[in-house]
Each structure stands twice: as structure tokens, then as C-alpha cells.
Amino acid sequence: MSALDGLAGQPVIVGSGLAGLLTALELAPRRCVLVTRAPLGAEGSSGWAQGGIAVAVAEDDSPALHLADTLAAGDGLCDAAVAARITAAGPAVIDILVRHGVRFDRAPDGKLAVGLEAAHARRRIVHAAGDATGAEIVRALRAAVLACPSVTVLEHTRLSSLLTEAGFPGARIVGVVLEQDGRRAALATGQVVLATGGLGALFRDTTNPMGATGSGLAAAARAGARLGDLEFVQFHPTALAVPGSVADAPLRLVSEAVRGEGATLIDETGARFMESELAPRDVVSRAVWRHLGAGHAVFLDARTALGDRFERRFPGIAARCRERGIDPATMPIPVRPAAHYHMGGLMVDADGRSSVPGLYACGEVACTGLHGANRLASNSLLEAAVGAVAVAAAIGREVAREASAELPAGVPPAARPSTLALVRQTMAYAAGVLRDQAGLEAAVGTLAPLADADDAALIGLLLCLSALDRRESRGGHYRTDHPGRAANAVRTTITLGEARARLLRPELRLAS
Ligand SMILES: Cc1cc2nc3c(=O)[nH]c(=O)nc-3n(C[C@H](O)[C@H](O)[C@H](O)COP(=O)(O)OP(=O)(O)OC[C@H]3O[C@@H](n4cnc5c(N)ncnc54)[C@H](O)[C@@H]3O)c2cc1C
């Protein structure tokens, strides 16, 4: 791959969502390589974010109030010191994004306009172009990266695997294996930043881009890194469910704001089946999933609450519905829960350092401890921005190391479409909205034989093992066989080595 000539020794950033783009910009003028599988900025969740970034900037707000809401959502498992640091850093990262060209919506007096979202005690959602916050952030940062002479962008290039010293899992990073047009090459580097996003596409129903299969997380696991909180996945209760679209395309969101305007959840008989449609996301998701499981169809009915006003209030959602033949003013909207956000990931410290020397992470792939068992809405863009700034500062303080790396003999695995379909189906039923021991063990039995050769199966397996470990229900993780909360819950962590050792243990009783 001649594109790699002269790049050895530079930090390598993988992913071009908010986290990757901002890391590259904040590293400047230090030279770096930005590797991204699709065109720059095109494939991630970042460009799809609608709501905005949660930041305490209003006069009646404070980082302490934001922290309190974050800890309440996290259901006892947030790292309080991390959450305090990240919520306090919010106003400064908004300034940084503005400096890089992001145009946030403003009130007539020039101050940032702030919106309100569920579970936030104050108006603190900073947004852009109304409900196109992510698109505006990616537009601005992409333009800034393209204009930044210190960043070499490698588009259509996939991180295949991470190389560690002497090939030992957990040893220092010495390079990456990159794949472009079916060809693989090694690039020597002592510093890799994973900004590869989430793993929603491991589930049959997801709001994430189809590339969100956790491939960066898999590379980290194979390099011996410690992963954490893997079992905590947030399911959005109302994704637009249109027959025929579920298997191979993301489901579009029907925002909570529609329920906020009074729309109700009904089934095919027209009957409501929830007392309050404004209960927390996980509660509504479980109710919808159970009702679907009982053989009903589920719809969001905005006919009375919004009717003709729907189009004006929610033009984007109305357009998406109409594309699929649904007029939300006169017809109920079919909905189902979908995997939306992963709270877990590669465990990192305040500088974004993982347990593998030289391997950093920021954004959704990272597990900082901010979210605990459940994410407070709009805290993820905040975490991605704060994490990117911290990683860049930490790398900036390091002295560049001499680096050399060779392509290893073994061919690293990639997600194979055939296996991916099986993983999605398996995860939807075993590790979805409702989980139990028998289902998770059956999923482990399906995924374990595939995990050595397939990244998607590996991450699905590690997630299921973590979900088996958590014998309680909390946040985004619900066990029908352990519906209560444990008194002294702790965070779960796992490495690939530990998973292998567990799979040898007879008490795991793998189903065939
Ligand atoms: C529909 C939707 C709406 C949302 N709304 C909000 C919101 O309003 N507020 C909020 O805070 N959060 C929201 N979120 C969550 C938020 O958008 C994400 O958590 C955040 O954007 C993640 O940013 P990131 O930079 O970590 O990853 P992403 O933006 O997902 O980018 C990942 C990048 O990594 C690349 N990549 C992945 N694997 C590889 C590989 N192996 N090799 C090379 N490149 C790779 C991808 O191509 C992509 O460029 C929403 C999510 C969705 C799906």
C-alpha cells in the first residue's frame, strides 16, 4: 500500500465521527494519520445525531446539576469522579467546537440556545440546525480536517488488527494492520486511537449505521485489552418498524419528543397498554417488546395529539414515515425497540489510555465510566468531544517512539456477511431487551465456535458472557430470571484471555 509510505511513527486515529475528527484536529500541529473505512465523516452515528450535546450553560444550570442527572440515569454504576470531570468540561468543549467552525443554534441575544430532554432537570441540550446537530458537527470538523496540513486522511481503509510487541496480548502497541481494496499492509506506530463508534448493528434491529459492528473493539480485545460494562446496551423503544426493512438496514428513530407531545402507544386493537408513555427508555422498551412478544403489533398514535400539526412539528420524522407509506397525521406509526447506544467498551482512564500501552480510545467505543448502566440522553456527543480533547493532550505530552512493524503471517479476521446475519439474529433474542440465563448460554454456545475467526461473533460472545455475569436487572440490562437489583453491584470487566478461561469451566454449562 504505497499510501502508507512516510507515515510510520505517527499516531494513527481510527474512525472519522466526532471523536476521530476532533482528536486529529486537537493533535495539530503534530502529524497524524486518520484512517476511516468509508469516505471521511460519512459512516458514523455522529452525523445522525438529532437532539444535541448536553452541556450546563444556562443561567439556572450548573455542572453539579448535570452530574446529578447523569448519576441518576447511570443507576448506581457511574464512576462519579469521571462523570464530574466530563460534565464540568462541557462548556469548554463547546468553545473548542465553535473554534473549529461548528455553528450552534443561538438565542436572539447571541447566547447558545438550549433545549430540554427527558431526565434532564434543566434546559441544557445545545443543538445545531434544529434537529441536525450531528450533521453540522461532522460538516464543520470534516472541513477543518481537510484544511489541516498535519492530518493525512486514509479513506476507504479499514483497521484490520492491532500489532503488539512480539505479538503478546497486552504488550505495547507497535503497529496496525490496515486493509484497502482487499490488500493488507502493516503501518508501524506506537500510538493508536480507536474512535470506531458503537456496536448496535450486532443486533437485528438497530438505529446505528450498519458498519457499527464493534470491529475496533474486537481488534482491542484481540490485542489483550480490558473491556468493561459490555452488557449495557440502550434500546430505543420507538424505531420506525416497517416490514421488510428490519434485516439489512437501520431503523429510523421516531423521537421521544413525539410522545412528549402526547402521542400514545397502542396495539392493533387500538388499545393502550402502558400507563405512561413517558416512562424511562428502558421501561418503555420492555413494555413494547413484551407486547410484541405476546403477538401484538405496536404503533405510536399521534393522530389525536398532533394530527395536522405533525408535519410542522416533526418534518424529518414525517418525511421518513411518508417514504414508507405512512401519513402520521392520519395513521398510527408502527414501532419496535432497536439497539441504539452502547454504554460499555474499551476501558480507558481520564487520558483515554487503555490497559494496552499505546492504545487509546474516545467516543462510543470507549468505556470511561460516565454512563454507568444507562446513558443520559445527549451525554454521548459530550463524552466523545471531551474524550477526544483529553486523548490528543495525552499523546501530545508523549515523546514519539521509534517504530517498525511487519505484516503478521496469520490473516486477521473481518466480519463476514454470513456470520453477521447469524450474530444479529442471535443477539436480538438472547441479549436484547429481555435476557435470561438459558438464552444467553445458548447464544454463547452459538457464538463461541465462531469467535476466533469473526469479529462480530467475538464481541457478541464477550457481551453475552458479561450479561451472564450480571445476575440482576439494572439500567439497560434486564434479566427476566433476576428482575431485582443487587445490593452491592459492581462493574463487569473482561479480557479475551479471561473469556477463553471461562469457556473451559464446566459450570458454564454451554448449550450444545
Ligand atoms: C440515530 C442516532 C441519533 C443519536 N442522537 C444523539 C444525540 O442527539 N446526542 C448524543 O449525544 N448522542 C446521540 N447519538 C449517539 C451518538 O451519535 C454517538 O454515540 C456518537 O456520535 C459516536 O461518535 P464516535 O465518533 O465515537 O463514532 P461514530 O460517529 O459512530 O464514528 C465511527 C467511525 O469509525 C469508523 N470505523 C469503524 N470501524 C472501523 C474500522 N475497523 N476501520 C476503520 N474505520 C472504522 C466508521 O466508519 C466511522 O467513521 C445518536 C445515535 C444515533 C444512531
Side-chain angles (χ1 to χ4, degrees):
M1 230 185 273
S2 58
L4 304 186
D5 291 348
L7 300 178
Q10 297 182 26
V12 172
I13 300 159
V14 188
S16 63
L18 166 57
L21 292 168
L22 188 57
T23 304
L25 289 170
E26 288 294 298
L27 263 176
R30 179 143 175 199
R31 295 181 66 202
C32 69
V33 182
L34 179 52
V35 171
T36 191
R37 192 170 44 194
L40 190 67
E43 193 198 34
S45 294
S46 295
W48 295 6
Q50 301 168 350
I53 309 185
V55 186
V57 286
E59 265 160 30
D60 64 347
D61 201 2
S62 69
L65 288 173
H66 187 180
L67 172 64
D69 291 342
T70 301
L71 297 181
D75 210 356
L77 283 190
C78 297
D79 181 324
V82 168
R85 181 175 51 75
I86 292 179
T87 49
V93 293
I94 292 291
D95 289 345
I96 291 172
L97 290 171
V98 169
R99 178 160 53 76
H100 288 304
V102 180
R103 295 189 290 249
F104 289 109
D105 295 336
R106 299 201 174 253
D109 62 2
K111 290 187 180 147
L112 290 164
V114 279
L116 184 62
E117 275 184 356
H120 287 274
R122 294 286 187 278
R123 298 184 79 84
R124 63 168 72 103
I125 313 303
V126 175
H127 47 85
D131 63 358
T133 309
E136 165 58 13
I137 291 173
V138 170
R139 179 206 63 77
L141 298 189
R142 180 178 178 280
V145 162
L146 290 174
C148 184
S150 58
V151 186
T152 302
V153 176
L154 298 179
E155 294 179 307
H156 302 290
T157 306
R158 190 179 80 84
L159 171 76
S160 189
S161 62
L162 296 162
L163 301 174
T164 53
E165 222 158 30
F168 286 124
R172 170 168 284 284
I173 292 289
V174 293
V176 288
V177 176
L178 302 178
E179 186 182 314
Q180 204 183 56
D181 296 330
R183 284 169 298 137
R184 287 194 168 88
L187 176 62
T189 177
Q191 291 142 331
V192 176
V193 182
L194 290 182
T196 47
L199 51 62
L202 289 184
F203 292 81
R204 190 198 60 178
D205 300 328
T206 182
T207 63
N208 290 188
M210 284 294 113
T213 57
S215 65
L217 204 50
R222 293 188 199 282
R226 181 163 293 282
L227 315 186
D229 296 344
L230 289 186
E231 68 275 27
F232 291 117
V233 177
Q234 185 175 85
F235 294 88
H236 198 289
T238 56
L240 178 59
V242 179
S245 71
V246 290
D248 51 7
L251 302 185
R252 307 309 295 265
L253 271 189
V254 182
S255 155
E256 245 135 29
V258 179
R259 276 174 283 139
E261 293 285 341
T264 54
L265 287 163
I266 59 169
D267 62 21
E268 72 287 355
T269 68
R272 283 177 72 184
F273 57 91
M274 285 203 73
E275 254 174 45
S276 167
E277 280 84 354
L278 289 175
R281 257 181 205 178
D282 54 306
V283 175
V284 182
S285 287
R286 285 196 291 277
V288 172
W289 186 256
R290 284 197 168 109
H291 215 59
L292 289 168
H296 294 282
V298 174
F299 302 89
L300 190 59
D301 184 3
R303 290 173 297 182
T304 309
L306 284 153
D308 290 342
R309 285 196 303 119
F310 198 105
E311 175 74 43
R312 234 177 315 125
R313 178 69 182 84
F314 301 108
I317 298 171
R320 270 174 243 140
C321 288
R322 271 200 310 276
E323 275 168 22
R324 289 159 175 81
I326 299 151
D327 174 4
T330 59
M331 296 160 74
I333 308 165
V335 290
R336 60 190 295 123
H340 185 53
Y341 184 79
H342 190 213
M343 276 69 80
L346 176 57
M347 292 201 81
V348 294
D349 67 10
D351 289 331
R353 284 192 178 87
S354 76
S355 62
V356 173
L359 180 62
Y360 296 78
C362 52
E364 192 167 337
V365 68
C367 179
T368 62
L370 171 69
H371 306 298
N374 218 343
R375 172 191 71 134
L376 181 66
S378 291
N379 261 358
S380 33
L381 291 177
L382 171 69
E383 184 194 43
V386 174
V389 173
V391 165
I395 292 179
R397 289 192 296 271
E398 280 189 6
V399 181
R401 294 162 56 95
E402 285 290 307
S404 69
E406 281 178 15
L407 195 61
V411 178
R416 290 171 304 188
S418 55
T419 312
L420 199 53
L422 173 65
V423 172
R424 284 194 182 126
Q425 198 66 17
T426 304
M427 296 298 283
Y429 287 101
V433 176
L434 301 178
R435 304 164 171 180
D436 64 20
Q437 180 173 342
L440 288 165
E441 286 183 351
V444 168
T446 303
L447 299 171
L450 306 169
D452 272 346
D454 186 274
D455 283 349
L458 171 63
I459 294 305
L461 172 68
L462 297 180
L463 194 155
C464 288
L465 288 172
S466 303
L468 271 169
D469 268 354
R470 185 165 295 288
R471 293 180 193 83
E472 62 156 353
S473 293
R474 182 185 295 267
H477 167 82
Y478 193 90
R479 289 271 303 254
T480 53
D481 51 347
H482 294 283
R485 287 167 101 251
N488 299 310
V490 291
R491 293 173 64 191
T492 51
T493 74
I494 193 165
T495 64
L496 180 53
E498 289 166 1
R500 286 203 171 107
R502 275 188 66 178
L503 291 171
L504 298 174
R505 282 196 341 229
E507 68 271 22
L508 197 57
R509 293 191 288 106
L510 291 188
S512 71

